Every structure is written in C-alpha cells, then in structure tokens.
Amino acid sequence: MTNYTTAQMLAPNTKVDKKDAKLVLANMIWVAFALLIGGTAGLLQTLVRSGHFELPFGIGYYQLLTLHGVILALVMTFFFIMGFQIAALSRTSGPLNKKERTLGWIGFWVMTIGTLMSATMIALNEASVLYTFYAPLQAHVIHYIGLALVIVGTWISVAGQMMRYFRWRRENKGQKTPLLSYMTAVNNLMWYVCTIGVASTVLFQFVPWSLGLVETINITLSRTLFWYFGHALVYFWLLPAYMVWYAVTPKILGAKGFSDNLARLSFVLFLFFSIPVGIHHQLVDPGIDAFWKGLQVVLTFMVIVPSLMTAFSMFAVFETYGRNKGATGLLDWFKKLPWTDARFVLLFIGMLFFIPGGLGGIINASGQMNQLVHNTIWIVGHFHITVGAPVILTYFAAMMFLLPHLTGRKIDKIANRLGLMLAYTWALGMGIMSAAMHFAGLRGAPRRSTFSEYGGAEVAEEWITYQVMQAVGGSFLFIAIIIAILLFLKLVTGPKVNDVEEFPVAEFMDQYDPAVKWVDNWRLLIIITAFLVLIAYTVPITQMFTENIPGAKGFKLW
Ligand code: HAS
Ligand code: CU
C-alpha cells in the first residue's frame, strides 16, 4: 500500500475534468473530419487501381494519394493522440492547470493552421509528393512549412502534458505515478527525440531547397533524417493503442491487468529501441554501409520484444478472465470473452490483426527478405494491418467511451450495435484489401503507382484480380467509415445522463507492489535513449556529409 497516498486511495480521480474535456473534444472533431476526407480518398484510389474508374475534375492519382496519407497517417492520428493523452492525464493525474491547458489549446491551433496550409497546397496540386515527401520530388514551400507547423503544434501540446505529469510527481513525491500518465510521458519523450530528425530535414534541407535558395538536396541524408523520425512515428501511433490494451481492456472485462511493472518496462523498451532503427526503411538504398544497416536490423529485432511482452500480457488477462468464468479446455476461454460489448470487440479484432501485422514487420526487417518486398504493395498491406487496423480499431474503441464520457452521456444499445457493425465491417474490408495487397506485392506489384497495364506485360496481368479485390475491400471500408461517423454522432447527441459513461482504468495484479524506481528516472532514460541513437546514427550520418554524394535538383513529375 505504500505506493499510494491516502488522498488518492480515498478520492481517486475518476473523471476527465470539464475544461479538459473541451480541449479533448476539439481534437476529436478533427479525427472524425480527417477520417471522412481521408477515407473517401482511399476509396477512390482503390477504384482507380481496379482499372474501372477515372478521377473526375482533373484530380491526379498522386494528389489524392498524398491527401490520403497526410490526412490519415499524420493529421488524424496526431489529433487523436493529443486528445487521448490529455484525457488520460486528466483522468489519472487530475485536471490540467490553466497554463498546461492553454498550451494544449495553442498546440491545437498551430496544428490546425499547419494542416490547412498543407491541405491547401495539396488541393492546388502543388504538393503531390506523398506523405513521406521523398526528395527529389519537390513541393511548394508552404506545404513543408505547414507540415512543420503540425509537428510544432504537437510539441506545444506535449509540453503542457509533460508539465502536468511532472507536477503530479512533485506533488506526490516518492509515489508510483499513475500508469496511464506514465505511459503518456514516455510516448511524449520519444516524440521529442524523434521529431528532431524530421524538423531538421524540413528546416535545413527542404525549405531552402524549395525556396530556391540552394539548388540541390542531399537525398540520402534527407531520407535518413526522415526515417530517424518515421519509424518512431509508427510507435507514436501504436503506444496510445497499447495504453488502452494495458490499462483499459482489463477494466472493460471486469478483470485485473497482468502487471503494471511489466507494462512500464515495455514502454521503456519502446523508448530505447524505436528510434535507432529507421534505416530498416532504407535497406536497399545506396549510400549507407552494410554494417550500419545490419546493426539497425539487429536493433529492430530488439523493438519486437516489447510487443511480444504486450501480446503475452493480453493473453494472460484474457485467459485468466475466461478461466474465472469457468472455462476449462486449452482455448475454451476464448468463448467466454464479452462478444457483445463493442468496445471489446473493436480492440480485440485490432489485436488479431496485429498478429499477421507484426509477422509481416519481422519479414520486412529481415535484411534479405526486404529486397523481395521493398517498394511493392506488400508494404502498403503491412501498414494497413498495423496502423490501419490494430491502431485505428483501438482508437475507435477509445472514442466509444471517451465521447460519451466527455459529453455527459452513456453508450446506449444503438451505439453499441453501431460499434459492433463498425468492427466487423472494418475487419472484412481491411482483411480483403490488405490480403490482396500482400499477395500482389509478392508477385511484384509496385506501391506508390496508379493503374497501368505496363504495356500488356504478362506479370502485370496477374496483379489486376488483386487490384479488383482491393477495390472491394476499399468499398467495405468506406461503408465502415460511414458507420463510424454515425456512431460518433450517436455518442455525442442522445440524452444526457447522471451515471455518465466511465473512462475505464484497470487495477493490476501487482498494483500495490513497490514501484520499480529506475523506469521513472528521466535522466537515465534520456541518457540511454541518446546513447543508442548516437551509436546507430553517428557514423552513417557523418558519412553522408563527408562522402561526395551528388545533390539532386527538384522535380515536379505531376
Ligand atoms: Fe512496420 C514499413 C518493420 C510494426 C507501420 N511499417 C512500415 C510502414 C509503415 C509501418 C507505415 O523492417 C511503411 C512506411 C512507408 O511508407 O514506407 N514494422 C516492422 C517491425 C514491426 C513493425 C519489425 N509497422 C509496425 C507498426 C506500425 C507499422 C506497429 C504502425 C502502427 N515496417 C517494418 C519495416 C518496414 C516497415 C522493415 C520497411 C519496409 C520497406 O522495405 O519499405 C514490429 O514492431 C512488429 C512487432 C509486433 C508483433 C506482434 C505482437 C502481437 C500483438 C497482438 C497479440 C494478440 C492478442 C489477441 C493478445 C511481434 C501484440 C490474441 C487472441 C487470440 C485468441 C489469438
Ligand atoms: Cu519501421
């Protein structure tokens, strides 16, 4: 019991503060809006690639693809993460103070302005460079500045969140920090360290180059700085979903979490190993020595460990729960899970997707095998069953309790039914679409490319059936998005109630065990993170400056 203050034990914080709720809701409005726009773009892309549809009004395929990637992978996720983390802090550490909340609002508006700037440039067809904005494709400078502002906005919002976290620690010296608040802080520290990469390449390379101040750009360097950020980005998306898996799921079941200490350790491992692995996106790129590629492949295999720990914890929770309900056989517990609770079904289907999703990641990371799949649509299949299913389905599950919790309502029968429909329709659409992408990719179908018959080449004919399947999957996904929007509307309208929907936060089997001190030693965490980054990146990046890499002029190929 020593780790909890009496005040906490007597009056645990159970709700998101009202003023914080407004800030969270503002972020969530962007999530719904971005989902609708980005999802529509996605549907149209799959239709184009089926070969049976042409885009109207002179819209370009790559223009649409850029919109899709930017608005879903960056805008939607960032707004969700900011909103969710603020809610998690307010729920578990207590309300943000005025200064912390103001930072949240400033961050929100800076992100909004940045998004509008980039979206305008994409709409004007001045920025069809896809969400990874690889040089030498060159967009209008306003596009890069807009993207940079989106990142700066997250920094500001995150500053407010970190202040809340450290205020709790000051006010509760020596106590174990609330788990969700701790996880938020770890994710945010990772974010600060990794965004240095993308901020530097945008500021020092893309902006001067697109303004015409310098004529050429060092592509190898720009991609390396991008992926230094880009791989950690995928965990920045994933960790809020893991927060829900660890801390919320057991409570939805009415069970206890497996281990609070193990959950903290897995987050620390993500902090250490998410960043020094970006080169696994450049395994076939020239200009980086095989040794450093190999080292980062090894580090990539390290970052798989905390996901395996998460899988283990979740199995432990589910099995314990099922056995307490009377399950006996090896897998009998599976039947005892709450299959009628949409919050559970959404995130559980997400977990199921992450099994092939994670396996695919391991294939991608395996040096030689990467040569088979790199730049094929297999990769697109991979990220749709990682960020596009486990992550987003868990976000949906979180929206299901957050939206009514924040607006004083409760999930009713209709909302629950809509949630179940969303889960199954999404699973069907994403299942068909991404399976087709994986199979086509293995047969060599390229990614980042519009419909083409490749002059009637035999190999390309094989791809067409899969592309039609992608359009079928894409259509189900679009239906799912309509259901999601209806669900959100249902959750925030309906009558207000007194017993407001809870924001479930579980207790753990080792809740009252003494805290493991070093995982909350921030100086140590920063030193180890920086050390690993320096080992993995110092030599390859230095070589990019010292070796004579020819610069590239900008191209506008659309
Ligand atoms: Fe990845 C490319 C390697 C995870 C996203 N990845 C991408 C891109 C994106 C992305 C967006 O090494 C493309 C970027 C671009 O545009 O070019 N990825 C990995 C590895 C992992 C991994 C090793 N990726 C993710 C996650 C993402 C994501 C997570 C988003 C959220 N990825 C790569 C590589 C590339 C790549 C290469 C570059 C490829 C190339 O050539 O371009 C690992 O983190 C995966 C570990 C995960 C597991 C799964 C654990 C399972 C769990 C669920 C348990 C289920 C339960 C329920 C409990 C080992 C936790 C079960 C119940 C029952 C009853 C069964
Ligand atoms: Cu990666």
Side-chain angles (χ1 to χ4, degrees):
M1 294 278 194
T2 50
N3 281 296
Y4 279 78
T5 55
T6 327
Q8 251 187 304
M9 303 284 289
L10 291 176
N13 212 38
T14 53
K15 274 200 188 143
V16 175
D17 171 76
K18 279 223 168 77
K19 286 188 185 146
D20 295 339
K22 277 201 188 129
L23 173 57
V24 178
L25 277 172
N27 282 282
M28 293 308 173
I29 290 172
W30 258 116
V31 176
F33 184 61
L35 179 69
L36 190 61
I37 305 282
T40 309
L43 170 69
L44 296 177
Q45 283 150 226
T46 59
L47 294 179
V48 170
R49 281 194 68 144
S50 74
H52 295 291
F53 177 77
E54 276 179 32
L55 290 168
F57 315 121
I59 301 172
Y61 177 80
Y62 299 100
Q63 185 182 9
L64 204 64
L65 186 54
T66 307
L67 178 72
H68 177 72
V70 169
I71 208 85
L72 289 179
L74 307 178
V75 174
M76 183 189 69
T77 53
F78 292 175
F79 279 104
F80 176 86
I81 297 165
M82 292 304 107
F84 176 75
Q85 293 192 157
I86 291 166
L89 280 161
S90 183
R91 163 74 172 80
T92 59
S93 284
L96 275 64
N97 66 21
K98 195 148 181 252
K99 198 161 153 202
E100 294 151 2
R101 196 178 308 116
T102 307
L103 286 170
W105 278 112
I106 299 176
F108 170 81
W109 285 112
V110 173
M111 285 165 71
T112 300
I113 293 168
T115 303
L116 294 177
M117 284 166 69
S118 282
T120 310
M121 287 302 117
I122 298 170
L124 293 175
N125 204 15
E126 287 291 338
S128 299
V129 293
L130 311 192
Y131 87 104
T132 41
F133 58 90
Y134 267 12
L137 292 179
Q138 193 182 52
H140 195 288
V141 66
I142 293 181
H143 180 63
Y144 300 120
I145 296 176
L147 291 181
L149 282 181
V150 173
I151 301 279
V152 171
T154 62
W155 285 348
I156 299 171
S157 182
V158 161
Q161 296 166 33
M162 291 307 257
M163 282 163 64
R164 178 67 197 95
Y165 178 72
F166 284 104
R167 185 159 63 85
W168 192 98
R169 284 200 358 153
R170 274 198 312 279
E171 288 167 357
N172 300 271
K173 278 226 161 66
Q175 312 294 324
K176 196 190 231 174
T177 47
L179 180 63
L180 271 178
S181 297
Y182 174 78
M183 292 171 146
T184 294
V186 173
N187 199 26
N188 285 341
L189 173 60
M190 181 185 81
W191 188 238
Y192 274 136
V193 180
C194 78
T195 44
I196 296 171
V198 70
S200 343
T201 181
V202 167
L203 199 63
F204 300 117
Q205 293 195 282
F206 281 95
V207 168
W209 174 64
S210 57
L211 278 176
L213 301 177
V214 293
E215 209 179 327
T216 61
I217 189 166
N218 180 337
I219 294 182
T220 309
L221 178 65
S222 73
R223 289 190 186 183
T224 307
L225 289 172
F226 180 85
W227 287 116
Y228 165 94
F229 147 83
H231 183 79
L233 167 69
V234 314
Y235 294 114
F236 186 63
W237 298 328
L238 181 70
L239 293 193
Y242 274 12
M243 294 180 203
V244 174
W245 293 8
Y246 275 114
V248 175
T249 310
K251 178 73 180 199
I252 290 179
L253 298 177
K256 281 193 177 177
F258 176 68
S259 163
D260 169 295
N261 283 330
L262 178 133
R264 284 175 209 252
L265 177 62
S266 89
F267 268 58
V268 168
L269 293 178
F270 276 118
L271 171 67
F272 294 162
F273 294 110
S274 286
I275 307 168
V277 298
I279 288 180
H280 70 221
H281 292 264
Q282 300 168 274
L283 292 176
V284 301
D285 276 16
I288 305 168
D289 276 352
F291 174 81
W292 299 104
K293 289 181 177 172
L295 179 82
Q296 294 217 8
V297 161
V298 172
L299 290 168
T300 303
F301 276 79
M302 301 291 289
V303 82
I304 294 166
V305 173
S307 279
L308 294 176
M309 287 162 63
T310 308
F312 174 83
S313 302
M314 297 325 297
F315 273 113
V317 168
F318 295 143
E319 187 177 351
T320 317
Y321 168 82
R323 294 208 185 280
N324 287 342
K325 293 249 160 201
T328 47
L330 186 62
L331 289 172
D332 213 19
W333 49 266
F334 188 77
K335 289 187 234 146
K336 305 278 179 193
L337 295 169
W339 293 108
T340 50
D341 185 333
R343 297 167 305 169
F344 168 78
V345 173
L346 279 163
L347 58 82
F348 189 83
I349 291 184
M351 289 176 192
L352 291 180
F353 266 103
F354 203 34
I355 295 174
L359 279 173
I362 297 171
I363 291 171
N364 299 344
S366 306
Q368 293 89 334
M369 267 197 273
N370 184 268
Q371 303 186 3
L372 182 68
V373 295
H374 185 68
N375 278 345
T376 73
I377 200 157
W378 160 286
I379 302 297
V380 184
H382 163 68
F383 64 69
H384 280 88
I385 54 170
T386 47
V387 65
V391 168
I392 193 75
L393 285 171
T394 308
Y395 287 6
F396 288 156
M399 298 277 268
M400 276 206 75
F401 61 78
L402 264 184
L403 294 180
H405 178 85
L406 300 170
T407 57
R409 299 183 162 82
K410 206 161 177 83
I411 304 174
D412 62 10
K413 265 206 180 122
I414 300 178
N416 192 59
R417 202 163 298 158
L418 282 169
L420 289 171
M421 280 165 62
L422 169 60
Y424 292 119
T425 321
W426 195 275
L428 186 69
M430 199 55 94
I432 297 174
M433 187 183 82
S434 49
M437 286 173 165
H438 278 89
F439 288 124
L442 286 182
R443 285 164 180 74
R447 67 180 287 198
R448 307 187 183 102
S449 70
T450 185
F451 181 77
S452 166
E453 284 164 333
Y454 297 91
E458 228 173 277
V459 60
E461 267 169 39
E462 273 189 27
W463 303 335
I464 298 201
T465 320
Y466 293 112
Q467 284 163 198
V468 172
M469 274 170 72
Q470 286 162 33
V472 173
S475 307
F476 279 114
L477 278 168
F478 187 72
I479 298 171
I481 286 173
I482 304 293
I483 299 173
I485 301 292
L486 291 176
L487 168 66
F488 299 155
L489 288 175
K490 183 79 191 72
L491 290 167
V492 296
T493 47
K496 296 210 178 199
V497 293
N498 286 332
D499 64 331
V500 173
E501 186 66 37
E502 68 160 346
F503 179 157
V505 178
E507 282 213 352
F508 283 76
M509 295 181 197
D510 60 351
Q511 181 90 7
Y512 300 110
D513 285 4
V516 177
K517 288 265 162 36
W518 71 268
V519 297
D520 223 333
N521 179 342
W522 291 78
R523 196 164 301 154
L524 180 76
L525 297 186
I526 292 172
I527 290 173
I528 298 180
T529 308
F531 178 72
L532 286 168
V533 164
L534 289 176
I535 289 196
Y537 274 110
T538 309
V539 176
I541 289 193
T542 312
Q543 284 175 343
M544 285 166 208
F545 282 102
T546 52
E547 282 173 19
N548 208 359
I549 298 176
K553 286 191 176 156
F555 286 89
K556 194 175 164 188
L557 298 176
W558 60 91

